[in-house]
Amino acid sequence: MSITTEVRTVREGAFGPATQLVCRECGTTRELGPHYACHECFGPLEIGYEFGQVTREQIEAGPANIWRYKALLPVPDDIESSPNLEPGFTRLLKARNLGAQLGIDRLWVKDDSTNPTNSFKDRVVAIALSAARELDAKVFACPSTGNLANAVAAAGARAGIRTVVFIPSNLETPKQVNSAVFTENLVAVDGNYDDVNKLASEIAGEEDGWAFVNVNVRPFYAEGSKTLGYEIAEQLGWRLPDQIVIPVASGSQLTKVHKAFQELVTLGLVEDKPYKVFGAQAEGCNPVATAFKDGVDAIRPVKPD
Amino acid sequence: MSITTEVRTVREGAFGPATQLVCRECGTTRELGPHYACHECFGPLEIGYEFGQVTREQIEAGPANIWRYKALLPVPDDIESSPNLEPGFTRLLKARNLGAQLGIDRLWVKDDSTNPTNSFKDRVVAIALSAARELDAKVFACPSTGNLANAVAAAGARAGIRTVVFIPSNLETPKQVNSAVFTENLVAVDGNYDDVNKLASEIAGEEDGWAFVNVNVRPFYAEGSKTLGYEIAEQLGWRLPDQIVIPVASGSQLTKVHKAFQELVTLGLVEDKPYKVFGAQAEGCNPVATAFKDGVDAIRPVKPD
């Protein structure tokens, strides 16, 4: 695999309803593959779809994991038969006590810590793993500050694909141990997450056959976040919430949950209604919240450690 | 609540299909309540049932947690409406790679770490919580070496019932922290688990209104382990496994999974067949395995720390 325009043969239906990659900035399209940046404007590439008919009954008859939504994801129809961690369909808990304290009548918490490696990263990694497999990648990799490394190492181990995960060398030991259990190739980089990320981008650009889940197969990976939106709507009885609070993190999850809700509306699976999406950041590292409060567009990076 | 024979009024159907307590040693029966030792022979009390008709369809239509088996547990029919952690129906994963290494064709692993507080203890605590509620207990408590404390503290917090958890003071910090998040009453006892256990038994015997999940409401609590057996059979397509390996721990889970399998057979939910239940112990603390190997009945306690 490379980020060049080399033509590869992928099997029929390898990406399910996904048909192409589309640049979010300029709308330029290109074929599905390990590409993440538009060759016209360097904007981020996203997955484009042509959905068939999808019904609630069809989804409800599926397994109790993200593959119940496979008709809405860039994965093949036989995805369930490929070894994977089967993440998702985590509990949506009514937070009665917290709601009472906050004066909110109907407050729900999505407990994604019950995913196989205890974070939502198992969702996105599962889609990236499918893409890596269909693109015949030899190495399944990521730069990470911990949770993603765990998810990649565990998913790769289960699938029997070679994994390499890159982490900052000062990462706390328990997170390192969790990854080390599943991969022989845990690479501690002397630097911070930005440095680790740059190294990953360089390898992705220069080496063939490496699928970096959050770099060159990121457009596939990112679609995994949609499943949080699908599940919330289904678990609320096929209804959209009034308001939803989502961690900002890389900024991807907010947009993907919104995308999921819009897809459900378009497909007639939920009724359209207004809703608000809030992004939340922890006070210790809140560049987006700070910029928002200051009324500026430019985000000033915060570098913890 | 007390362990005296004081008569209490519990609401109709408070314990579902459970009808009485039965001594495992001498068969003496008594009414359902916070009792754990036979008043004739001091043998352990177990729950006795009169099951109604239970069908696979009825179970499959239930929620994706242990309450899908509520018709087989000592809980009321409206159990789902009482705030609880909704544990169970965890993934049964086909361990292809490990199976290949061990030369086993069909090897499955039950991943109970995806329960709300990351251990199977959420199952047993959920049943104990229901009993405590129906018996109008004022305090929900346990002696524990960590996992149980987490499960009790979290379940109590969700239910809005006062919790007190007793742990040995040398318990590793992360486990203490997990419990401390959910309860104001984390009591570190200067001693080992035996000492903590003795203290709990004394309080259970002397104080009114304390439900110690693994002491005076233990017969209810222990029934939660059956759900592991139900789930395995259902997830194997309503079939019993050929062999099953279970941690020995207190010895309860082995017997309860066997009990679950037998109930499923009796109720016609699975076909009867021979199967073997193996108990496993870690080498660092394996009194039962050692006794078995030495061919003796008497278990010599191992006291770690």
Side-chain angles (χ1 to χ4, degrees), chain A residues 64-65 83-97 111 113-116 118 156-160, chain B residues 64-65 83-97 111 113-116 118 156-160:
Chain A
N65 57 50
N84 71 85
L85 293 179
E86 300 169 14
F89 218 56
T90 53
R91 294 163 176 83
L92 185 71
L93 291 163
K94 187 155 195 184
R96 219 178 33 124
N97 300 331
D111 181 9
S113 75
T114 58
N115 273 309
N118 307 125
R158 179 145 175 82
Chain B
N65 57 49
N84 69 87
L85 293 180
E86 301 170 13
F89 217 57
T90 54
R91 294 163 175 84
L92 184 71
L93 290 163
K94 186 154 195 182
R96 219 178 35 123
N97 300 331
D111 182 9
S113 74
T114 60
N115 273 309
N118 306 125
R158 179 147 174 81

